Amino acid sequence: MVSGESHKISRSGRLRAAVMGANDGIVSTASLLTGVVAAGSSPQSILLAGLAGLVAGSMSMATGEYVSVSSQVDTERVAIAEEQAELEGDYQAEKHELAAIYVHRGLSKELALEVASALMKHDALDAHIRDELGISDTLSARPLQAALFSAGSFTAGALIPLIVAMTYSGIAVIVLAALLALVFLGALAAIVGGAPVMRSIIRISFWSSLAMGLSGITGVMFGHFAG
């Protein structure tokens, strides 16, 4: 932004990815460990399951994010190529199309056409990419960066219940540690994003508790039938 003014919404994309990755790491690993512990597994099996869940989860997050964002990049490239072809085919029509966008945003027809002319004179393709297609440097997809960020945030979250399980493999301790981490994560995300803190904490605590509870019940049932 030219003015250097900072808005919370500008951080929403990165915040969403970080919260989703860390939350998934905590919940999935804690749920996995809860189920394994409830089934009466040995400490070695518990540790192995936790490590396997961490590696598999982080790689899954990275792969899914890379594929998803790569598809977005492909779509953007096709749209940009089409826009370039349209500019080369009928420059004036594209200028009036851009002006119509500015009219829709509240400018008069005369001013909108003047703005469109000035922007297209400076960089016609960039003006259409930004204002017609909605693609900017800030929003442009970066597959490898997104994959590494998702894997890193998942791993950071997964390490919390895993380290706790390595120290003390009791279900109550694992669940409590995970919930405390999730409460902190939810509060931090709400504060940074400017959202209601309590609503965020309740939401993340409820669904995470449900996930860990169901995993624990599954582990108990499996341990009972297997025994």
Side-chain angles (χ1 to χ4, degrees):
M1 299 176 67
V2 177
S3 65
E5 188 178 358
S6 178
H7 293 280
K8 290 183 173 64
I9 191 64
S10 65
R11 301 190 292 266
S12 62
R14 293 189 297 272
L15 176 64
R16 180 201 65 81
V19 169
M20 182 179 72
N23 180 81
D24 195 14
I26 295 170
V27 175
S28 61
T29 306
S31 297
L32 175 63
L33 290 170
T34 299
V36 174
V37 172
S41 302
S42 65
Q44 292 79 6
S45 297
I46 294 169
L47 177 59
L48 179 60
L51 287 172
L54 185 153
V55 174
S58 61
M59 291 301 98
S60 176
M61 287 286 289
T63 301
E65 195 73 5
Y66 185 84
V67 171
S68 175
V69 177
S70 293
S71 298
Q72 182 181 339
V73 169
D74 293 340
T75 301
E76 289 179 357
R77 287 175 178 168
V78 170
I80 291 172
E82 291 176 346
E83 197 61 42
Q84 179 65 61
E86 291 174 359
L87 283 167
E88 294 172 356
D90 195 336
Y91 186 90
Q92 291 300 319
E94 289 300 301
K95 181 169 69 175
H96 282 87
E97 183 179 14
L98 189 62
I101 293 173
Y102 300 142
V103 169
H104 181 71
R105 293 178 182 175
L107 298 183
S108 65
K109 291 183 179 180
E110 295 76 14
L111 181 57
L113 190 58
E114 183 179 344
V115 171
S117 298
L119 290 176
M120 289 183 66
K121 184 177 180 180
H122 174 69
D123 191 332
L125 182 59
D126 180 69
H128 281 269
I129 289 174
R130 183 182 62 252
D131 293 327
E132 182 180 348
L133 302 180
I135 301 172
S136 67
D137 290 337
T138 302
L139 299 177
S140 184
R142 297 175 178 84
L144 184 58
Q145 182 185 59
L148 292 174
F149 189 76
S150 294
S153 59
F154 181 96
T155 300
L159 281 172
I160 296 173
L162 181 57
I163 291 174
V164 171
M166 290 171 62
T167 305
Y168 182 76
S169 58
I171 292 178
V173 177
I174 294 173
V175 171
L176 180 60
L179 286 176
L180 288 175
L182 288 165
V183 166
F184 174 78
L185 182 66
L188 179 63
I191 292 171
V192 174
V197 175
M198 189 55 63
R199 182 187 302 171
S200 177
I201 290 175
I202 292 173
R203 181 169 54 226
I204 199 170
S205 299
F206 173 78
W207 290 109
S208 300
S209 297
L210 180 63
M212 289 183 284
L214 291 175
S215 297
I217 293 172
T218 302
V220 170
M221 293 174 62
F222 180 84
H224 175 73
F225 289 117

